[in-house]
Amino acid sequence: MDHAEFTTLLGRADERSMAAVVVGCVQRALPTFDVLGDIDLSGGGFADRLWRLVAGNEPVAAMHDVLTLSDEIRRYSAGPQGGVDPDVEGRQALLALAAESIMRGERWLQSGDLRDWADRSSSAILDMCQYMDELTLEGVDEALETFPAGQFPQLTALERRELELQVATLTLSATSSSQDVQEIERRSQARAAELRQTLLRLVEAGAIEQNSWVN
């Protein structure tokens, strides 16, 4: 499993499949805003509504719904229209990466390039997973040699599971079955819960601070 497989699948993905990648990445970014920020976007059925739109073959509507979050999470972004400052670390880095999965959509509004949004969202969440793994390691300096997300065999544990899910998302969403989309949603929801627990453990261990973002 490596990035080449994801890139190949994304290169021939249709609009619904690309939207499914974005929706999944956004769903798995939401716990970061809850645990490390001061916005709880994990509940309220927001992700459920996005997946219903994808399953109903309304990918553009789903993308516009994602962008309703832009104003609320913009303060967490490390740059205009997304982007991540390499000098930002810890809680701010994780929040910026999570925000990137959403903020990149503002470029989609201008260019119509959904593939770029899907690709950038994928990279942001993979890097977020890798960074969370690195924060649990004692030899952080050594671990950072593979940051940002590298190709196999340099994938960390969380990063590998994330990439596997992204590949499965492109594979399953390419079918016309709404049941396949529901399966993707189920897996994404489980991954989001896993990432939330990882963030809570990092906070408890003192590796990152919680809910103390400074505007």
Side-chain angles (χ1 to χ4, degrees), residues 81-140:
Q81 289 192 328
V84 178
D85 185 340
D87 294 327
V88 171
E89 298 178 346
R91 183 187 70 255
Q92 293 185 18
L94 290 170
L95 283 164
L97 286 166
E100 172 75 353
S101 67
I102 297 167
M103 297 301 299
R104 195 70 181 192
E106 295 197 343
R107 299 191 183 189
W108 167 72
L109 283 176
Q110 299 169 1
S111 67
D113 188 352
L114 184 53
R115 185 168 283 105
D116 174 73
W117 189 0
D119 187 33
R120 297 291 183 162
S121 293
S122 163
S123 295
I125 302 305
L126 285 167
D127 288 348
M128 188 178 76
C129 288
Q130 186 186 60
Y131 193 36
M132 280 193 278
D133 270 330
E134 289 166 355
L135 287 170
T136 68
L137 300 176
E138 291 182 4
V140 174

Side-chain angles (χ1 to χ4, degrees), residues 42-67:
S42 299
F46 180 74
D48 291 343
R49 183 169 72 252
L50 296 178
W51 283 116
R52 284 197 298 272
L53 289 170
V54 172
N57 203 23
E58 298 183 67
V60 172
M63 298 300 91
H64 280 290
D65 264 19
V66 168
L67 287 175

Side-chain angles (χ1 to χ4, degrees), residues 121-196:
S121 293
S122 163
S123 295
I125 302 305
L126 285 167
D127 288 348
M128 188 178 76
C129 288
Q130 186 186 60
Y131 193 36
M132 280 193 278
D133 270 330
E134 289 166 355
L135 287 170
T136 68
L137 300 176
E138 291 182 4
V140 174
D141 290 340
E142 295 179 5
L144 287 175
E145 291 178 1
T146 64
F147 187 79
Q151 291 194 355
F152 176 86
Q154 296 177 321
L155 299 173
T156 66
L158 283 175
E159 184 188 8
R160 178 182 298 281
R161 292 197 290 277
E162 174 62 30
L163 182 58
E164 288 173 347
L165 179 53
Q166 291 183 16
V167 168
T169 297
L170 286 172
T171 302
L172 288 171
S173 61
T175 73
S176 58
S177 170
S178 61
Q179 290 183 333
D180 285 339
V181 175
Q182 290 171 359
E183 173 62 17
I184 299 168
E185 179 182 4
R186 184 190 66 77
R187 294 189 193 181
S188 181
Q189 185 176 22
R191 280 283 297 153
E194 179 188 5
L195 293 177
R196 179 184 174 83

